[in-house]
Every structure is written in structure tokens, then in C-alpha cells.
Amino acid sequence: MKILIRQFLGQNHSWSVSGWGIANSLKKNNIVHLFPTDGIKHLPNSLKENVIGYTELNKPLDIKGRTPDLEYDCQISYTAMKNFPNLLKNGKKNRFGIWCYEWNGKNVLPDGFAANYKYCDKILAPSNFAKEVFLNSAIPESHIEVISHGINFTNSKKQIKLPTNKKVKILANIAQNHMRKNISGLLTAYGKAFNSKDDVCLIIKGKGKKITNSFDVSLNDLIKEYKSKYNAEIKLYEEYIENMQDLYNSIDIVFTMSHCECFYYPGLEALASGKLNIAPNYGGQLDFLNNNNSLLVSGKIERANPSSMYWTSKNNAEWFMPDIDDAIDKLRYAYNNFEKENYKLELNKENIISEYNWDNITSKILSLAKV
């Protein structure tokens, strides 16, 4: 089968990571052409031989190499729905668009997005929550398939030297400084749960970059505000990490207070590393996080801040407000019991790796293909 993957593949982005996993699995038994739309800076070496051409981010007309062939047996693109007509146009069958939108509610997808479902044969929603968002925007259920994202974890034991001497290390893998991540709520819960005498440090994996979008927040400002109110140790870790598994090997607990996630990669990566999750009891992570393997923070569904949304603001959009007091209780419990909890998770991590490895996920995608 000749397959085209045209999407973000060159940046440290969740879309790229998913594309890498799918491409590496597909190339074992198929002809795979890659056309990155964001350059090739971080494209893995194992995939460079599959690149037929590419464009840099936001420069669609400046093509390096060549354009894709006119016809493919299968096309895959993890991209916003507005791009389906252009990125899935090289063939009339087996066009798979992967995407999700974090806010829920009736017709909350950005204006004009929903109609583009017609330009693919299946939308691959990474979670049941993501599927619900599509259904609430009147996309036919027959056009949606729930297929999880995957992970590529090995048995590596390598650790990273983190900037703390504290014993217990709690990781907040922020990735993007977006309003929906509820970084202020995360810092408040942590600051109220601990003080400088506690043998704990919050490691924030993120970037203290400037605000560039209306839905961004300043991580540097939030940390500065935190330090004016609380004294439990926190450290911002901005270094590039080649293998994220090394980071999970170096910490004890993974923590988020995000208002909305369609697929929470750090949560799945934590499970595969045998590490305890503290996460909101809402969103796409509930496909793999539950009360038996995680500490789920209670809260309530409420109206989302319209300014937090991408592309189009909707006043009826919903998100989840995690309860600060419950998060504090969960943090204190995890601090005192993580060794016991992580031991139980360690016993099951091979099952997680087996179920969510990219070979297994990719075989599910190919099972949808029609000859």
C-alpha cells in the first residue's frame, strides 16, 4: 500500500509525535511518503529517508523537494479540520483525518470546521471525549472512529539530573502555555499543599516564552506570582529532551489541573512508566485513567472562558473546573504514598505499553482501509 502522511512532522508538537509513531509503524510493510508542513528540524533520523518534500511553517508555497503524487492508496493527516480539503486531496479513498478539540458543547467547533468532515472518509478521534465533541457539532457518528494515540516506550532506565535535591519530584508537563491548561490552578493547589519544609519539588516542563496568542498565559509571570505567595520548591525545566521516557524515569508523580484535554499524553506516558497520575476527573484521559490507577480530582463542568479558545470564541463552550481542596488532598496523599502506589503501577505498565504501542494503534487505522 502506498501511503501519504502530510502534516506537522518537524516540530516538538503532539501532532508531530503522533505522526512519527504512525509513520515508523507503517513503513515496515508499506511505501510511505512524508510531506512535513512545518519543516524537518526535529524529524527523527529514522524517517528522513521517507521525506519526498516539505514546507516550512506558514510558508505553504515554498516547497523543498517535490510535491506528493496525485494518487495514494491511503492518506493520513493529523491537522485541524480546516486543512482536510488541502491535505487529504491526493486520492479518493482511505482518507483519515486525525484531530480533536478540547472544549465541549453544542456546535463549539470553530466556525466552518465541521463541514470539512466530508473531505475525509473517517475522522480518527483519539478518545471518546473527542468523539462526543464531534457529535455535538453534528458530525455523523458513521464518520467517526475512536482510535487512541500511542506511545513508544522501551525498558530504558536512564534518568535526567533535575535541578533539585528534594526527594519527591512532581512533574507538570505543560508543553503549551495555554489558558485551558489551568497553570494558575495547578500552582495554587501545589502551593497550598506543601511548604519549604516538605521534601518535594514541582518540576514544570515548559517554556517561559512570551505571550503570542490571546489564549496564552505567561508562565514566567505565574511562577513569579506563585513565589510571592508560597514557598514550596518549584523549578522550571526548559531543556530539550530527546527521549521523554528519561524524564518520567526521573520523577515520582505526574500532576495536571487542566480544564480540558482530548488526549493527555503525559498521563499515558506516566502509566507506561509506572508513575502515579493526579488529574481532573474529566476529558479524554478517562479512557485510560481511572480510580484504580490514578488520583482523579473532582470538580464541576462550567462555562469556559471564550478567550481560551482557538480560532473562534464560543460563549456556550464548556470546560472542567477542578476543585482546589480535593487536589490538595490528592497531592498530600500522593506525597505520602507514591512508593506504594507506583509499585502497583509498575506491575501493570507492560500491559499499557502493549496496548498503546504504535504498531497496535497503526494496525487499527489500517483495519479501516478499503481495498
Side-chain angles (χ1 to χ4, degrees), residues 330-371:
K330 298 291 196 300
L331 284 164
R332 293 298 306 180
Y333 175 86
Y335 173 71
N336 291 311
N337 296 278
F338 75 91
E339 291 173 318
K340 175 184 69 175
E341 297 294 338
N342 285 353
Y343 175 76
K344 292 188 293 185
L345 294 170
E346 186 76 19
L347 299 177
N348 191 53
K349 73 176 188 179
E350 292 304 322
N351 292 331
I352 296 294
I353 294 171
S354 176
E355 181 177 355
Y356 290 98
N357 73 77
W358 276 114
D359 286 345
N360 189 34
I361 300 303
T362 301
S363 69
K364 293 180 180 180
I365 295 175
L366 286 184
S367 72
L368 302 174
K370 297 179 180 180
V371 180

Side-chain angles (χ1 to χ4, degrees), residues 1 9 36 50 53 87 149 152 213 218 224 290 293 297 304 310 322:
M1 183 178 289
L9 290 166
N50 296 89
L87 300 188
H149 295 335
N152 277 328
N213 300 292
S218 171
K224 182 178 180 181
N290 55 61
N293 64 17
V297 179
Y310 314 146

Side-chain angles (χ1 to χ4, degrees), residues 35-312:
F35 193 94
T37 59
D38 59 345
I40 57 174
K41 181 177 181 181
H42 292 296
L43 185 77
N45 289 330
S46 62
L47 294 174
K48 289 182 178 178
E49 64 182 9
N50 296 89
V51 175
I52 59 170
Y54 67 93
T55 58
E56 296 291 349
L57 185 64
N58 299 322
K59 297 180 180 180
L61 300 181
D62 186 13
I63 297 172
K64 313 294 184 183
R66 69 174 181 89
T67 59
D69 297 340
L70 294 178
E71 194 79 21
Y72 287 87
D73 301 311
C74 176
Q75 299 172 77
I76 298 171
S77 185
Y78 197 150
T79 187
M81 288 183 73
K82 67 174 183 175
N83 299 320
F84 284 1
N86 185 49
L87 300 188
L88 294 170
K89 63 183 180 182
N90 294 67
K92 299 298 183 183
K93 64 180 181 180
N94 303 324
R95 299 166 299 171
F96 301 128
I98 307 173
W99 192 59
C100 54
Y101 199 58
E102 284 77 11
W103 296 263
N104 204 355
K106 186 176 180 180
N107 295 321
V108 299
L109 292 186
D111 292 346
F113 274 43
N116 289 316
Y117 81 85
K118 299 175 183 177
Y119 292 94
C120 68
D121 298 291
K122 288 284 187 180
I123 296 175
L124 306 184
S127 66
N128 284 288
F129 177 83
K131 177 181 178 179
E132 181 182 321
V133 174
F134 288 133
L135 291 175
N136 285 338
S137 285
I139 295 175
E141 186 168 11
S142 60
H143 228 79
I144 308 168
E145 197 76 29
V146 176
I147 295 184
S148 174
H149 295 335
I151 48 177
N152 277 328
F153 267 33
T154 65
N155 290 317
S156 170
K157 302 297 183 183
K158 183 179 177 182
Q159 294 188 5
I160 294 171
K161 174 60 178 175
L162 295 172
T164 180
N165 293 318
K166 297 287 190 176
K167 175 186 176 183
V168 182
K169 302 172 185 67
I170 301 176
L171 172 67
N173 193 351
I174 301 297
Q176 298 166 321
N177 300 338
H178 294 177
M179 196 181 300
R180 68 174 181 85
K181 296 287 185 175
N182 191 22
I183 302 171
S184 61
L186 180 147
L187 291 173
T188 297
Y190 175 78
K192 289 185 174 181
F194 305 109
N195 59 51
S196 60
K197 295 181 180 179
D198 290 306
D199 201 5
V200 62
C201 179
L202 177 67
I203 303 293
I204 302 174
K205 180 64 178 76
K207 291 286 187 181
K209 54 189 178 183
K210 295 180 180 179
I211 291 177
T212 56
N213 300 292
S214 61
F215 46 77
D216 287 338
V217 296
S218 171
L219 182 55
N220 286 335
D221 287 350
L222 289 173
I223 291 175
K224 182 178 180 181
E225 181 182 0
Y226 167 88
K227 290 182 176 180
S228 72
K229 296 179 180 179
Y230 310 107
N231 58 20
E233 184 174 272
I234 63 173
K235 297 290 184 179
L236 177 61
Y237 191 81
E238 300 184 276
E239 303 299 320
Y240 173 71
I241 299 174
E242 184 71 30
N243 184 355
M244 287 299 292
Q245 186 174 351
D246 299 342
L247 176 60
Y248 291 98
N249 290 341
S250 311
I251 56 85
D252 306 293
I253 300 159
V254 177
F255 179 40
T256 178
M257 288 282 277
S258 181
H259 290 302
C260 48
E261 298 284 350
C262 274
F263 192 86
Y264 175 51
Y265 256 120
L268 185 58
E269 291 168 338
L271 280 185
S273 302
K275 299 300 169 67
L276 181 63
N277 274 289
I278 305 174
N281 190 17
Y282 176 87
Q285 64 263 28
L286 299 188
D287 280 11
F288 48 84
L289 299 187
N290 55 61
N291 287 318
N292 294 320
N293 64 17
S294 308
L295 300 177
L296 299 179
V297 179
S298 63
K300 60 182 180 180
I301 297 172
E302 62 180 32
R303 295 295 184 194
N305 184 336
S307 297
S308 70
M309 304 181 73
Y310 314 146
W311 294 289
T312 307

